[in-house]
Amino acid sequence: MELISKIALGGGCHWCTEAVFQSLLGVENVEQGYVASIGENSSFSEAVIVHFKPERISLDTLIEIHLYTHKSKSNHSMRTKYRSAIYTFSEAQNQQSKAIVNNFQKAFDNKLITKVYPFQSFKASRESIQNYYQNNPEKPFCETFINPKLKILLERFSKQTNSEKLKHLIKQEQI
């Protein structure tokens, strides 16, 4: 039986983050909702918990995808609602995640603002908005905001992408 690990990730809208990580091979489940850390980051911020098989997709790859699919270099006025963050479930995972972010910094021209925090608590989104993209891929929000992130997956991370879940985008690209 394969080991399942988890990491929580916050960036932009949790509908977007959920759709990105639901589209990856090796990801078993994505919980959409709100995550809080400790101290000054104890308020809830939109995020997802990603349950994954490390033998199939590494933490390095998940974090790299996270950095490329949200505004990881942009400090804007909505950062309390949309914290650019990685929430970890152990001290070892916290140290590993910080090292991964530091290693990826050289791939970006601007400074990454993504921070690594300890996970404290989670509140699930209301059921009616969970699996938003899977249920509504043709909605204007999805086409405008989520599809460009999924196209990044297809371009940069095709080996990790579940093409079956993104076949509608692949067909668009071929036209």
Side-chain angles (χ1 to χ4, degrees), residues 63-80:
I63 290 174
E64 182 181 13
I65 288 168
H66 181 56
L67 295 173
Y68 277 102
T69 56
H70 82 283
K71 293 182 178 175
S72 58
K73 303 166 299 296
S74 172
N75 213 355
H76 52 74
S77 62
M78 297 293 286
R79 275 295 173 217
T80 52

Side-chain angles (χ1 to χ4, degrees), residues 3-98:
L3 173 74
I4 303 278
S5 292
K6 62 184 177 177
I7 190 83
L9 304 164
C13 168
H14 51 201
W15 294 351
C16 297
T17 311
E18 176 188 56
V20 165
F21 291 96
Q22 285 177 330
S23 301
L24 299 174
L25 298 169
V27 170
E28 293 298 302
N29 185 35
V30 179
E31 296 177 78
Q32 182 206 113
Y34 306 87
V35 173
S37 184
I38 57 174
E40 65 184 35
N41 299 298
S42 62
S43 62
F44 283 95
S45 183
E46 291 192 20
V48 297
I49 299 175
V50 178
H51 300 261
F52 65 101
K53 293 181 176 181
E55 299 84 16
R56 297 214 179 148
I57 190 163
S58 69
L59 183 59
D60 285 63
T61 299
L62 290 171
I63 290 174
E64 182 181 13
I65 288 168
H66 181 56
L67 295 173
Y68 277 102
T69 56
H70 82 283
K71 293 182 178 175
S72 58
K73 303 166 299 296
S74 172
N75 213 355
H76 52 74
S77 62
M78 297 293 286
R79 275 295 173 217
T80 52
K81 181 178 180 183
Y82 304 122
R83 196 176 292 130
S84 179
I86 299 163
Y87 301 93
T88 59
F89 290 87
S90 70
E91 183 57 33
Q93 190 182 56
N94 188 284
Q95 294 305 315
Q96 181 184 7
S97 297
K98 286 178 180 175

Side-chain angles (χ1 to χ4, degrees), residues 84-145:
S84 179
I86 299 163
Y87 301 93
T88 59
F89 290 87
S90 70
E91 183 57 33
Q93 190 182 56
N94 188 284
Q95 294 305 315
Q96 181 184 7
S97 297
K98 286 178 180 175
I100 293 167
V101 171
N102 286 337
N103 287 339
F104 281 119
Q105 177 58 68
K106 60 186 164 258
F108 293 88
D109 292 334
N110 297 332
K111 177 143 179 61
L112 293 170
I113 63 162
T114 305
K115 301 290 186 217
V116 179
Y117 302 115
F119 175 90
Q120 181 65 31
S121 54
F122 176 78
K123 290 191 305 190
S125 298
R126 63 188 184 278
E127 196 167 320
S128 64
I129 63 169
Q130 291 179 22
N131 300 306
Y132 189 80
Y133 184 81
Q134 289 179 0
N135 295 329
N136 305 284
E138 72 294 333
K139 293 258 182 167
F141 180 90
C142 296
E143 291 180 348
T144 302
F145 296 105

